[in-house]
Amino acid sequence: MLFTPRLCLLASRRSYATASTFRAADTIIKKTERGNSKPDPEKLVFGASFSDHMLTIKHTNKSGWDKPVIEPLRDLSIHPSAKVLHYATELFEGMKAYRGVDGKIRLFRPDLNMKRMISTAERSVLPTFDGNELLECIKKLVHVDADWVPRSTSSTLYIRPTLIGTEPTLGVAASSESLLFVITGPVGPYFPTGFKPVSLLADTVHCRAFPGGMGAFKAGSNYGPTIYVNKMAQAEGCQQVLWLYGDKRYITEVGTMNVFMCLKNKKGGVELVTPPLNGLILPGVTRQSIIDLGRTWKDMTVSEREITMDELIEAQQENRLLEMFGAGTAAIVCPVERIVYEGKSYDLATMNEGAPITTRFHDEIVAIQFGRKPSKWAVDIN
């Protein structure tokens, strides 16, 4: 059994409100005099277009939080010795705003993003805040740039809250100055090919996270080192990496997503398995939504448990591995059709019948996000 850090468990239960914070009611709004032209929503590339405005909130240990400012999108000016540039004192979140079929703009379970952001800030010794207040600021920002939310059910407005340490001094220590900023931009599908299956390289050498580390937190330092391994996967004809841990080769995540495996157990029942929040796994919003949805369905059992490559390969060889998919905000779900492991290629049954389980989760979540299905998970920005 893997080590479960106490800090991670406490963070997952913590409220996202705190006494020392900025207030959304104090937000200063400075609108641009001339907005940029908006791209064709059917030709969007993920992460390449940005809206007209951004949110910035400065913090110092001496003075606390400044008033939030919504202002025209601009370059940041920071000293070359800023902590973030040398010691990776940085964290971010990934959210989306959806223009529903009724024209209303909604967020999806943003409370979970706020909880995770504050948890990561605490672990990174960056200033915390009231998540309710940041959420209200984000709503104001989206409202100001409402015309940038695509009128499309295949495109959305991506929201990137970020918190960085900006103190201009060298030396490994907590930053006494910080900047919280939020940028947004219209995006199309994360994978240009859309809802198509991917192949994975199950890497047995490199490690994405380890007990006591940062795997359960959304810090930028978790992502940069994965680019090298993803290049290795591409050289093997794969699109993503299946991250393993330890001598028993526990399955942890896939690429930058959480991972799910739908198995038929030896008694004939259907079990949806995802690794537990044991300190190695990011507590994804889409992950939690799939778990919550799956537990309302009568035709499967949802298990948060450890699973090794040996168990996965055994299920594949016994035709008990029904489907496998990644899950995250950017892609929602992504089916897996093949795994390369220890020099062998294993074809999975995911797409044999069109990935009905993966598709079902996708369709349920999208129906909520775009207002076709009422849910308390959908938060109206108005």
Side-chain angles (χ1 to χ4, degrees):
M1 181 177 292
L2 295 178
F3 169 72
T4 303
R6 179 173 174 79
L7 174 62
C8 180
L9 289 178
L10 289 175
S12 67
R13 296 170 185 156
R14 187 183 292 116
S15 168
Y16 59 93
T18 183
S20 176
T21 191
F22 46 85
R23 300 294 175 188
D26 297 331
T27 302
I28 300 167
I29 299 178
K30 304 175 182 178
K31 292 188 178 182
T32 183
E33 294 181 358
R34 180 180 297 179
N36 294 314
S37 59
K38 298 166 184 61
D40 184 339
E42 303 306 321
K43 297 180 181 179
L44 289 169
V45 176
F46 192 94
S49 299
F50 298 95
S51 311
D52 287 331
H53 298 87
M54 66 190 298
L55 171 72
T56 59
I57 317 173
K58 295 180 180 179
H59 179 277
T60 65
N61 288 357
K62 182 178 180 179
S63 302
W65 287 104
D66 284 358
K67 292 181 179 181
V69 179
I70 292 174
E71 59 186 310
L73 183 69
R74 59 176 175 83
D75 294 340
L76 297 180
S77 177
I78 58 175
H79 195 277
S81 67
K83 299 285 188 187
V84 63
L85 301 178
H86 300 270
Y87 312 115
T89 50
E90 183 267 0
L91 61 93
F92 67 93
E93 274 298 323
M95 307 165 62
K96 288 181 177 179
Y98 309 82
R99 190 180 295 277
V101 293
D102 55 0
K104 293 182 179 180
I105 299 173
R106 298 175 175 86
L107 306 175
F108 182 73
R109 306 192 81 174
D111 57 309
L112 298 184
N113 295 99
M114 296 299 99
K115 288 179 181 179
R116 187 171 63 184
M117 190 171 183
I118 291 170
S119 174
T120 306
E122 290 180 339
R123 180 63 173 83
S124 304
V125 199
L126 287 167
T128 59
F129 48 87
D130 188 323
N132 292 296
E133 297 296 333
L134 178 56
L135 180 54
E136 291 304 312
C137 289
I138 290 173
K139 289 180 182 179
K140 289 177 181 287
L141 177 63
V142 174
H143 183 74
V144 168
D145 277 336
D147 287 344
W148 282 88
V149 183
R151 289 170 170 79
S152 167
T153 55
S154 61
S155 302
T156 57
L157 186 77
Y158 190 74
I159 304 169
R160 174 53 63 89
T162 308
L163 179 58
I164 63 175
T166 56
E167 180 189 336
T169 58
L170 299 178
V172 180
S175 183
S176 64
E177 299 177 14
S178 304
L179 176 66
L180 192 163
F181 64 91
V182 183
I183 55 176
T184 69
V187 296
Y190 186 75
F191 296 110
T193 55
F195 189 78
K196 291 186 178 180
V198 297
S199 299
L200 308 178
L201 173 65
D203 183 54
T204 59
V205 176
H206 303 89
C207 181
R208 191 200 77 89
F210 52 88
M214 290 288 289
F217 303 94
K218 202 165 180 67
S221 56
N222 284 341
Y223 293 82
T226 69
I227 297 171
Y228 174 82
V229 190
N230 197 57
K231 290 288 186 182
M232 294 175 55
Q234 292 171 3
E236 294 285 340
C238 300
Q239 290 78 39
Q240 295 288 334
V241 178
L242 180 59
W243 297 102
L244 309 178
Y245 177 77
D247 293 338
K248 292 187 177 181
R249 294 176 178 171
Y250 291 102
I251 294 169
T252 61
E253 295 193 357
V254 50
T256 58
M257 298 179 286
N258 296 120
V259 63
F260 287 83
M261 294 137 285
C262 194
L263 310 172
K264 183 177 290 185
N265 62 36
K266 295 184 178 181
K267 296 181 180 180
V270 176
E271 181 187 19
L272 183 69
V273 179
T274 193
L277 299 181
N278 53 19
L280 307 184
I281 309 301
L282 186 73
V285 176
T286 307
R287 173 189 181 275
Q288 190 59 53
S289 301
I290 289 171
I291 290 171
D292 293 342
L293 282 173
R295 285 178 174 160
T296 67
W297 299 347
K298 305 299 183 182
D299 51 353
M300 68 175 63
T301 298
V302 178
S303 301
E304 296 178 77
R305 67 173 178 83
E306 292 158 358
I307 181 169
T308 64
M309 278 301 295
D310 283 349
E311 181 181 351
L312 185 72
I313 296 302
E314 179 185 66
Q316 187 266 349
Q317 294 177 337
E318 295 177 355
N319 296 316
R320 294 187 295 103
L321 177 57
L322 304 178
E323 295 182 35
M324 182 174 181
F325 60 92
T329 296
I332 306 178
V333 292
C334 180
V336 177
E337 67 175 353
R338 184 172 69 97
I339 297 175
V340 175
Y341 176 57
E342 294 188 320
K344 297 181 180 179
S345 181
Y346 296 89
D347 292 325
L348 309 188
T350 301
M351 301 306 294
N352 285 2
E353 297 180 8
I357 298 169
T358 306
T359 301
R360 183 180 176 189
F361 281 116
H362 173 274
D363 292 349
E364 285 278 333
I365 291 173
V366 169
I368 294 171
Q369 291 171 339
F370 285 94
R372 288 191 291 266
K373 180 178 180 180
S375 172
K376 62 182 181 181
W377 294 349
V379 177
D380 192 328
I381 70 158
N382 294 320

